[in-house]
Amino acid sequence: MKLIRSGLEKKYRDELQSSHHALFNDSANRRLLNSIRRAFPKMYSAYVLDWIPEQGEDIFTVLVDDNTVATFELSRLNGELAEAQNVRMTKDYQRALQKHKMIKLLIALELAAENAE
């Protein structure tokens, strides 16, 4: 799939850039960032691809650098760091994605590659 710079792609790019900035600069996201850093000590970028608020936890799907996707379940009941779950390479992750999630992943991969430079 190729990106065509559509309005939807711009929306996703803006969302991803905003969440990336918030993850690294907003103290409210410190626990998620510390969980990611603990699981991936050499991490240079992270983009939240999906966030599912559940009753007792928040579930985040995160692109780490430009090659790994992991899930983190942060409990709302305690302040503990979350373990990385369902860790997989981006190629394995993207196999089952629907179109909109694939577009979001491709944009996040572009942004991660820019961070690596």
Side-chain angles (χ1 to χ4, degrees):
M1 173 180 277
K2 276 193 139 224
L3 298 176
I4 59 171
R5 306 294 181 216
S6 68
L8 178 65
E9 290 173 21
K10 181 183 180 341
K11 176 185 168 231
Y12 285 157
R13 182 175 301 278
D14 292 345
E15 279 179 17
L16 288 163
Q17 287 173 324
S18 176
S19 71
H20 177 77
H21 182 267
L23 179 63
F24 285 90
N25 297 299
D26 187 345
S27 62
N29 297 313
R30 201 58 61 206
R31 195 159 56 114
L32 176 58
L33 180 60
N34 289 338
S35 296
I36 296 167
R37 283 186 171 148
R38 184 173 73 175
F40 304 96
K42 296 182 181 188
M43 177 264 306
Y44 59 82
S45 76
Y47 289 91
V48 176
L49 299 173
D50 198 19
W51 168 54
I52 302 170
E54 294 284 333
Q55 223 172 3
E57 71 263 351
D58 291 309
I59 303 170
F60 297 91
T61 302
V62 181
L63 171 66
V64 180
D65 298 335
D66 62 352
N67 58 5
T68 306
V69 176
T71 302
F72 295 87
E73 292 184 24
L74 293 177
S75 172
R76 290 193 192 138
L77 304 176
N78 64 47
E80 295 177 11
L81 297 181
E83 297 294 325
Q85 300 176 2
N86 203 12
V87 178
R88 54 214 183 268
M89 301 303 292
T90 53
K91 289 181 181 184
D92 295 328
Y93 174 74
Q94 71 186 28
R95 287 187 184 139
L97 290 181
Q98 296 173 341
K99 183 179 177 181
H100 288 276
K101 288 190 178 204
M102 176 63 84
I103 291 169
K104 195 169 191 177
L105 174 64
L106 292 174
I107 293 167
L109 287 168
E110 274 187 5
L111 293 170
E114 290 171 11
N115 287 337
E117 296 174 355

